[in-house]
Amino acid sequence: MLYVEILGNLPEMAVDEVRSMLELGGGEIAGSDYLFLKVSGDEKAFPFLNRLGLAHEYGKLLVEADSIEELLDKAKEVEWPIEGTFKVDTETMANCRHKVTELPRKLGAVIHAKGFRVNLSKPDTLVRVYCGEKLHAGIRLKFFDPKDFERRKAHHRPFFRPISLHPRISRALVNLTKARRELLDPMMGAGGILIEAGLIGLKVYGVDIKPEMVEGAEMNLRHYGIRDYVLKLGDATRLEELFDKRFEAIATDPPYGTSATLAGRRREELYREVLESINAVLEPGGRLSIAFPTSFDGEKEAEKVGFKLVGKYYQKVHKSLERYFYVLEK
C-alpha cells in the first residue's frame, strides 16, 4: 500500500488528480482520512505520482491503527525498509483524535530496537505518522517541495504577465487530462500550463492570438529547459486551420476579461466558439481541462458541443473573480 498527502486548498481537485494518475499507473484510492489518501499501487505508479501538483508528499504505507498502543504493537512486527539513519515525524491533521506528543519518541524507540540508527537533524529516511481518525505510519518516498513550484510563478519567469495560474494548479490541470504523450494549450498566454506539461515530459503545443505572447511563451519554455514544443500564432476558435492532427489532451485558462470585447468578441461568445474549436481537434475519448468564471455555465455549454463532464471544482480567487475548473471528456 501507498499513501498520498494532498493539499487542502482544492481538496476535491487534488483527489481527482491523484485518481487520474493512478488510472495511468495502475492503482486506485482505497480510502481517505482528511487529507491522507490510502492508495493501492506499486512501483508502476511512481512515475505518475511524481507528476502531482496538488500534493505534499507520497510514500509507502506500513501500519494503520485505531490507537497508539495498537500502532506500537504493529510497528514491532513490521519490516521497516529504512536505508541509513531515520527520524520519526508526526503530522497532526485537523481531525486528529489521538494524543501524539510522545509518539515520535516511542515509535522511534521501537524502530531503533530493530537495529536502525536515529538522526534527528539529517536523517536518510523519514518515517511519517499521520494522526486523523486513525493513525497511519509509513516511509516518505517523495516530497513535493513548494519552493520548486514557487520558483516558476509568473513574476520569476523571463517573460512576465501578472495574470497566470499558480504552477501547482497548472500542473493539476495537465494531470487531470491524463495526458501521456502531448498536450495543447490553445490560449497559452505566457505559457504557464505548457511549462508544467513540458517538465513532466510531454510534447507541448501552444497557440495565442498575440505575437508577443508567442515570443514570450517560447522564451519561458526555453528558460525552464523545455525543447519539445510547437508554438503557433493563431486563433483558438479556428484550431482546425492550424493543425492537421488530433490531440489526446488539451488544457487551457481562457482570459476572463471584464472589458466589453476580447480579441474583438464578447466573452461568452468567445468561450462557446473556443469549446467548439477544441472539440474539433480533440481525439475521441480525449480530455479537456479548462477554467471559466462562475458567470458562464461551462457545463451546459460544453455539453451542447458534445462534451461529458468528468469533474468541476470551485475556486474563489478574490472578490471580483470566482471560477470553476472543468474536466471534460469527448
Side-chain angles (χ1 to χ4, degrees):
M1 297 296 294
L2 304 173
Y3 74 85
V4 180
E5 180 192 354
I6 58 171
L7 302 180
N9 52 343
L10 287 163
E12 292 177 357
M13 190 172 176
V15 169
D16 281 351
E17 183 193 17
V18 173
R19 184 175 288 112
S20 295
M21 292 300 90
L22 291 171
E23 286 171 5
L24 295 181
E28 61 182 9
I29 297 172
S32 64
D33 190 348
Y34 193 53
L35 300 178
F36 181 93
L37 304 182
K38 181 179 175 181
V39 168
S40 66
D42 56 24
E43 288 81 359
K44 292 194 293 294
F46 292 172
F48 298 100
L49 293 178
N50 287 342
R51 289 169 46 163
L52 291 172
L54 298 178
H56 181 74
E57 67 177 81
Y58 76 83
K60 188 170 289 189
L61 179 60
L62 296 168
V63 183
E64 285 189 297
D66 292 310
S67 68
I68 288 173
E69 293 72 23
E70 184 187 1
L71 178 78
L72 295 173
D73 286 342
K74 286 184 173 180
K76 293 172 185 174
E77 308 304 319
V78 168
E79 289 188 22
W80 292 87
I82 291 172
E83 295 182 10
T85 58
F86 80 96
K87 172 189 174 183
V88 177
D89 190 31
T90 306
E91 188 74 31
T92 305
M93 298 187 290
N95 66 334
C96 175
R97 62 181 189 88
H98 307 272
K99 293 182 179 179
V100 294
T101 311
E102 293 295 311
L103 186 53
R105 183 184 61 79
K106 291 179 179 178
L107 179 57
V110 169
I111 298 171
H112 177 67
K114 290 176 169 284
F116 298 108
R117 291 184 298 118
V118 176
N119 184 330
L120 298 180
S121 56
K122 288 189 176 180
D124 300 305
T125 301
L126 195 61
V127 176
R128 292 279 276 158
V129 181
Y130 288 83
C131 177
E133 289 294 317
K134 289 190 166 193
L135 292 161
H136 318 266
I139 301 286
R140 176 192 280 176
L141 297 177
K142 168 82 172 177
F143 172 61
F144 298 96
D145 192 338
K147 294 175 186 172
D148 290 341
F149 290 97
E150 292 297 316
R151 281 192 285 265
R152 297 195 296 278
K153 287 177 76 172
H155 61 282
H156 292 305
R157 300 170 193 158
F159 180 74
F160 167 55
R161 286 294 180 274
I163 301 169
S164 183
L165 293 174
H166 192 286
R168 282 190 180 274
I169 293 177
S170 293
R171 177 70 64 90
L173 290 181
V174 171
N175 287 332
L176 286 162
T177 68
K178 299 204 292 186
R180 288 179 179 269
R181 308 180 310 275
E182 63 185 16
L183 182 121
L184 165 68
D185 183 347
M187 307 178 88
M188 67 181 172
I193 288 174
L194 298 184
I195 291 168
E196 296 307 310
L199 287 172
I200 57 176
L202 301 176
K203 179 169 185 174
V204 296
Y205 295 79
V207 176
D208 205 277
I209 203 162
K210 296 179 180 177
E212 67 268 26
M213 289 298 184
V214 178
E215 292 173 17
E218 180 167 22
M219 193 186 304
N220 286 340
L221 287 171
R222 296 190 72 82
H223 176 75
Y224 291 103
I226 296 156
R227 299 288 184 268
D228 197 5
Y229 61 82
V230 175
L231 305 184
K232 296 195 176 193
L233 178 67
D235 189 335
T237 68
R238 306 173 75 171
L239 294 172
E240 279 189 296
E241 297 176 14
L242 295 173
F243 299 102
D244 58 358
K245 71 186 294 301
R246 298 288 181 266
F247 295 90
E248 66 163 353
I250 299 175
T252 196
D253 180 33
Y256 309 138
T258 53
S259 57
T261 61
L262 293 161
R265 299 181 183 85
R266 286 171 51 84
R267 187 173 68 175
E268 288 72 18
E269 176 192 336
L270 173 66
Y271 291 167
R272 291 188 190 101
E273 290 181 15
V274 165
L275 283 169
E276 289 175 7
S277 179
I278 287 172
N279 189 59
V281 298
L282 188 63
E283 290 178 356
R287 280 189 175 188
L288 162 67
S289 295
I290 193 166
F292 289 123
T294 54
S295 58
F296 180 77
D297 192 341
E299 182 178 352
K300 183 175 80 174
E301 297 298 335
E303 285 176 350
K304 283 182 188 175
V305 175
F307 284 108
K308 179 180 70 176
L309 183 73
V310 177
K312 180 180 177 181
Y313 319 99
Y314 169 80
Q315 184 189 41
K316 182 171 184 174
V317 183
H318 47 68
K319 193 161 62 174
S320 60
L321 176 58
E322 297 173 84
R323 64 187 169 200
Y324 283 110
F325 297 104
Y326 297 87
V327 182
L328 305 161
E329 195 167 272
K330 182 173 175 179

